[in-house]
Amino acid sequence: MPELPEVETTRRGIAPHVVGARITGYRVRQSRLRWPVELPASIIGARVDAVARRAKYLGLVLPGGGVLIHLGMSGHLRVVGRDDIAGRHAHVDIEFDNGRILRLTDPRRFGSILYQVGDWLSHPLLAGLGPEPLTADFDGDYLFAQSRRRRVPIKSFIMDARVVVGVGNIYANEALFRAGLRPRRAAGRVSRAEYVALADAIRQTLTEAVAAGGTTLRDFLGSDGAAGYFSTQLSTYGRAGLPCTRCGAQLKGLRLAQRATVYCPKCQR
DNA sequence: CCCAAGACCTGGCGGC
DNA sequence: TGCCGCCAGGTCTTGG
């Protein structure tokens, strides 16, 4: 499902409905997600200070702690009303004093809802994460430095959250296309100049996707139910065998680290 | 330390 | 139609 743009779109969609609202209760219909759902009773009565994002995690920031929410592959968050019927995979509801309900629906259950006392960013799962791709500490020099002696394919390298967060399969394919780099190139054999182009490509791709409200594939919708429209701008993802949007050559598809990978054999070297 | 593969789940699709 | 195998936006864990 969601990569950084979809998570950020979700954050922006739910924030107006829950920031400043007080939690009045919650309902866990299915606790067995990626990890057992953690929602302590102490969150009841707490007012939401903010909805934050780190990597693909959302954080409901409360006075004494934070609720971490990850959407996994197939999850989405919607703000619904009390009369809204919970679907088959509506696993968790968090209810607020303004009558709204924040509902996590996730068919594959790779998502998670966890709690962290104090600063939500201190949760162990967030330790060791690389920089955000849309902040100043992420650039070509950083990628170059991190990649020395690494033999992993460049695509796997930029999808590694310890290197940089938020780059999932769709945007990894897209960013490599923009930067003109073949997905299988060893990370350690990519030049500094190429990394500068790649960092720019990642930043641009993600920025444009956020502006578009994310990419809609299958079932992703923003928290207001509106579809993102970045899919109309995809150059590679889902286009194996089709002509390159830039040169017309036939795009090649392969599997790299078990993930669908698409590139243009003429434009990417 | 580095890397590849397996694990966790359900649902949709194409092929026969 | 029905069944089977494969595929899907993620990421933690394990084993070499």
Side-chain angles (χ1 to χ4, degrees):
Chain A
M1 95 59 79
E3 298 187 32
L4 185 149
E6 289 72 29
V7 177
E8 178 62 21
T9 297
T10 298
R11 189 191 69 76
R12 295 177 184 185
I14 67 174
H17 301 287
V18 305
V19 172
R22 206 178 280 280
I23 296 174
T24 55
Y26 51 82
R27 175 187 299 244
V28 179
R29 299 185 190 80
Q30 169 60 275
S31 175
R32 296 182 54 185
L33 304 187
R34 174 77 199 259
W35 290 281
V37 172
E38 293 175 2
L39 283 177
S42 62
I43 67 169
I44 295 174
R47 197 181 288 281
V48 178
D49 288 328
V51 181
R53 181 187 60 74
R54 171 75 172 110
K56 295 170 190 166
Y57 287 89
L58 291 173
L60 296 188
V61 181
L62 307 175
V67 176
L68 283 74
I69 303 173
H70 196 289
L71 301 175
M73 289 274 263
S74 60
H76 62 76
L77 284 172
R78 298 278 162 71
V79 174
V80 300
R82 300 221 176 271
D83 55 348
D84 202 287
I85 296 166
R88 179 157 144 67
H89 302 292
H91 305 313
V92 178
D93 285 357
I94 299 176
E95 301 151 2
F96 296 91
D97 63 354
N98 59 8
R100 309 281 183 159
I101 294 171
L102 185 62
R103 174 169 291 163
L104 174 72
T105 298
D106 182 9
R108 291 177 72 181
R109 292 195 269 130
F110 289 169
S112 55
I113 295 195
L114 299 167
Y115 184 75
Q116 175 64 45
V117 175
D119 184 358
W120 77 286
L121 293 170
S122 66
H123 193 282
L125 286 175
L126 304 185
L129 289 180
E132 290 286 329
L134 301 180
T135 55
D137 50 345
F138 174 73
D139 60 18
D141 286 342
Y142 165 81
L143 284 178
F144 181 75
Q146 290 293 307
S147 63
R148 293 308 87 188
R149 296 167 190 245
R150 295 290 306 270
R151 279 179 264 189
V152 280
I154 183 69
K155 177 164 178 262
S156 303
F157 180 69
I158 61 173
M159 289 179 70
D160 183 344
R162 290 165 302 186
V163 174
V164 57
V165 302
V167 183
N169 197 38
I170 296 177
Y171 300 113
N173 279 304
E174 294 302 307
L176 289 168
F177 174 79
R178 285 199 196 203
L181 293 168
R182 289 208 186 189
R184 276 190 291 208
R185 284 268 299 279
R189 300 185 65 174
V190 173
S191 72
R192 186 184 293 272
E194 287 172 324
Y195 272 120
V196 169
L198 180 55
D200 284 347
I202 290 171
R203 238 193 322 269
Q204 286 169 20
T205 305
L206 293 177
T207 300
E208 289 172 22
V210 169
T215 298
T216 294
L217 296 171
R218 293 189 173 79
D219 59 0
F220 180 78
L221 298 172
S223 59
D224 57 356
Y229 51 90
F230 191 74
S231 55
T232 60
Q233 300 175 44
L234 295 177
S235 298
T236 55
Y237 188 82
R239 300 195 68 247
L242 296 174
C244 172
T245 51
R246 188 164 158 270
C247 77
Q250 189 179 43
L251 297 178
K252 285 197 171 183
L254 65 131
R255 291 193 78 74
L256 207 164
Q258 353 247 60
R259 313 301 299 272
T261 303
V262 184
Y263 71 97
C264 173
K266 273 187 73 180
C267 297
Q268 294 173 255
R269 296 292 168 176

